[in-house]
Amino acid sequence: MRNSILLLILIASTSLFAQKEKGVTLKTKIGDINGILLTPEENPTKTVVLIIAGSGPTDMNGNNPMMQNNSLKMLAEGIVASGIAVLRYDKRGAASSVGAVQKEEDLRFESYINDAIGWIGFLGNDKH
């Protein structure tokens, strides 16, 4: 019975926080990097959190070929439920952004820094 009540509360709370999801793309010289901009449906904000995936070939949801946990997706949804927009994106060379890398051995840490800078510029120009 208690588990049923907790499930109902969870379902009700997720419906209270309406969210808009918009697929977005950062164009780079080597290829496109895809992301998702998640915004609160009510009272849109100009504040945006940029989620940058950690090590390995991580996608915008926090998954990689060896593990699926949707950690970044759940983090984004929790932040949006607090009224703050979130942009998360596939790492260069991962998931739907696999075409944004020519050879793995050519990847440099600076490439990922430049991607984050590109997304910040994108957000500055976007009228989400």
Side-chain angles (χ1 to χ4, degrees):
M1 177 71 172
R2 192 170 79 166
N3 287 342
S4 298
I5 293 171
L6 288 175
L7 180 60
L8 287 174
I9 291 170
L10 178 63
I11 291 169
S13 67
T14 56
S15 64
L16 291 175
F17 306 110
Q19 305 169 352
K20 285 192 325 190
E21 186 173 294
K22 176 181 168 186
V24 292
T25 302
L26 179 67
K27 303 276 186 194
T28 73
K29 292 178 184 176
I30 298 173
D32 295 347
I33 301 174
N34 299 304
I36 291 178
L37 179 62
L38 201 57
T39 56
E41 188 85 29
E42 301 280 325
N43 304 318
T45 178
K46 293 194 183 291
T47 303
V48 182
V49 170
L50 178 64
I51 295 179
I52 303 171
S55 63
T58 308
D59 72 11
M60 67 183 85
N61 294 325
N63 304 321
N64 65 53
M66 302 290 282
M67 170 187 64
Q68 183 170 358
N69 61 32
N70 288 323
S71 59
L72 299 181
K73 180 180 181 184
M74 290 186 289
L75 175 63
E77 290 169 347
I79 293 169
V80 171
S82 298
I84 300 170
V86 178
L87 173 65
R88 65 189 197 275
Y89 61 95
D90 291 332
K91 276 180 76 175
R92 177 179 291 276
S96 68
S97 301
V98 71
V101 66
Q102 293 171 328
K103 293 187 263 178
E104 188 174 351
E105 59 266 16
D106 292 337
L107 281 175
R108 300 290 179 268
F109 186 68
E110 290 79 15
S111 302
Y112 299 116
I113 293 170
N114 290 333
D115 293 343
I117 291 168
W119 281 113
I120 292 168
F122 173 89
L123 288 169
N125 295 324
D126 189 50
K127 305 295 182 237
H128 63 276

